[in-house]
Amino acid sequence: MAKKKNNEINFAPRGIGDEKDGAVQKGVDMPAPTKKKHKSLGLSEDNLKAMYEQMYLQRRFEERAMQQYQKGKFGGFLHLYIGQEAISTGTVFALNDDDDIITAYRDHGWGLCRGISPDEGMAELFGKKTGCSKGKGGSMHFAKTENHFWGGYGIVGGHIPIGGGLAFANKYNQNGRISATFFGDGAVDQGALHETFNIAQLWGLPAIFVVENNGYSMGTAARRHTVAEIVDRAKGYGMKSKVVNGMDVFSVYEAMKEVAEDVRENSEPYFLEIRTYRYRGHSMSDPQKYRTKEELEEYQKNDPIERLKSYLKDEKILKDKEIEEIEEKVEQEVLDAVDFADNSDFPDESALYDDMFAEDEPYFHN
């Protein structure tokens, strides 16, 4: 007897949590931030000032980049990191300068943290030869290899094996360095992640894998596209893992410092889910219909930059006037970067094939 057919067949998750079918899904749930203050974390007052300046630079750089994009100064894709600055800043302050970092295409903040100047960054966005990638990479391919920043990577999840390869090279060369690979929540179900996790655990690679879970991948809430908690991906490989509040720079610093020491000492990989929230869409073409204005405003109440500013004032580390001076300095740097990019030249036609081939004069078929 033939099985009776259902009138309705569903594949996508529906009615998750407290939401009604088809309703907007909430972003990430934040774990509690650390209760430790800067001294117990080993951070000096100068460290805090530098952290604030770095986070503010990332924010203002991207706001100006967005403005220039809207003016038509450059095209292509533009994926903004606004709201996630505590992750890049906390990480770079926790790791050694020669540890390797690779990330996905939301890479401007990472580049600025790893020594790309605002001038080099803005020029790269404008496609100018004075850019950090000589104007050939654009928004998604910031890089500064001499500072062990291996760049933004345009293919979702495609750079995760490269991060594993960096860790392999460090272990092979016995140089004491570790690699840290960052990717978004949309990459966690890519096969490349699982293949890399497997071999990293099997070979004991000194690698940190970090998902910057900003809740919506390209435009779909994590609860609608991935099973269970993202951090649980580590369980299948016996890999150490933890969840971190990515809206608090102290929490990121504390976790990354602890994890980096563990990975460096034991040569075993670690998986971190750092929960955060991006304030802008996936890219400039994103209408953001998958979330509400109220939700965005709720997360902005825990803005990582405002959080650190309040701490600096409450602990009497900086006065309002001193904070204003930092902000004015950064603002001028970014404005100068726009002028620098505007006045720089585009790459010469003769440079079209530079940095593409090992040979100086590669052979081309007619």
Side-chain angles (χ1 to χ4, degrees), residues 112-343:
L112 292 170
C113 271
R114 268 294 171 149
I116 292 175
S117 70
D119 284 358
E120 292 174 311
M122 197 66 72
E124 188 59 38
L125 292 178
F126 279 47
K128 301 300 183 67
K129 65 181 182 182
T130 52
C132 57
S133 298
K134 302 180 183 179
K136 299 179 181 180
S139 170
M140 295 194 287
H141 301 290
F142 277 31
K144 201 172 186 73
T145 56
E146 61 267 34
N147 288 9
H148 300 273
F149 175 56
W150 297 93
Y153 196 89
I155 305 301
V156 175
H159 64 297
I160 298 174
I162 301 175
L166 290 167
F168 176 88
N170 289 333
K171 181 171 183 174
Y172 183 84
N173 291 319
Q174 302 181 54
N175 56 27
R177 303 204 305 259
I178 63 176
S179 75
T181 305
F182 293 81
F183 44 92
D185 46 300
V188 297
D189 296 317
Q190 290 285 347
L193 178 139
H194 297 276
E195 293 171 356
T196 305
F197 275 22
N198 182 64
I199 206 71
Q201 188 69 29
L202 192 65
W203 288 353
L205 299 183
I208 306 174
F209 299 102
V210 185
V211 54
E212 294 184 78
N213 182 4
N214 58 31
Y216 288 109
S217 302
M218 184 173 178
T220 303
R223 293 176 179 85
R224 289 195 179 278
H225 73 73
T226 194
V227 173
E229 297 293 340
I230 290 176
V231 70
D232 291 341
R233 295 293 185 278
K235 291 181 179 178
Y237 305 96
M239 191 180 294
K240 298 174 184 176
S241 63
K242 68 169 57 180
V243 178
V244 182
N245 185 317
M247 303 299 279
D248 175 53
V249 70
F250 287 1
S251 296
V252 175
Y253 176 85
E254 179 184 32
M256 291 302 299
K257 195 76 174 175
E258 176 186 317
V259 168
E261 290 175 359
D262 184 287
V263 169
R264 207 183 306 276
E265 180 180 350
N266 298 310
S267 191
E268 292 180 353
Y270 215 113
F271 181 43
L272 289 178
E273 179 189 347
I274 302 185
R275 295 181 181 174
T276 183
Y277 196 86
R278 65 164 197 260
Y279 296 168
R280 301 289 174 176
H282 173 73
S283 67
M284 290 297 290
S285 60
D286 181 2
Q288 306 183 60
K289 293 182 178 179
Y290 46 82
R291 63 181 178 187
T292 64
K293 178 182 177 182
E294 291 74 22
E295 179 186 294
L296 174 60
E297 291 173 350
E298 187 65 28
Y299 280 101
Q300 285 177 322
K301 292 177 183 177
N302 291 313
D303 183 83
I305 296 176
E306 292 301 318
R307 189 185 188 96
L308 182 55
K309 180 192 287 189
S310 295
Y311 184 90
L312 291 168
K313 291 163 67 174
D314 293 345
E315 296 294 317
K316 295 181 172 49
I317 296 170
L318 288 177
K319 297 177 181 178
D320 286 336
K321 181 63 175 176
E322 293 170 309
I323 291 175
E324 287 176 11
E325 288 173 354
I326 291 173
E327 294 175 349
E328 288 172 0
K329 173 192 171 190
V330 167
E331 180 65 40
Q332 191 59 52
E333 285 179 359
V334 175
L335 289 172
D336 290 344
V338 172
D339 288 339
F340 176 81
D342 234 349
N343 295 321

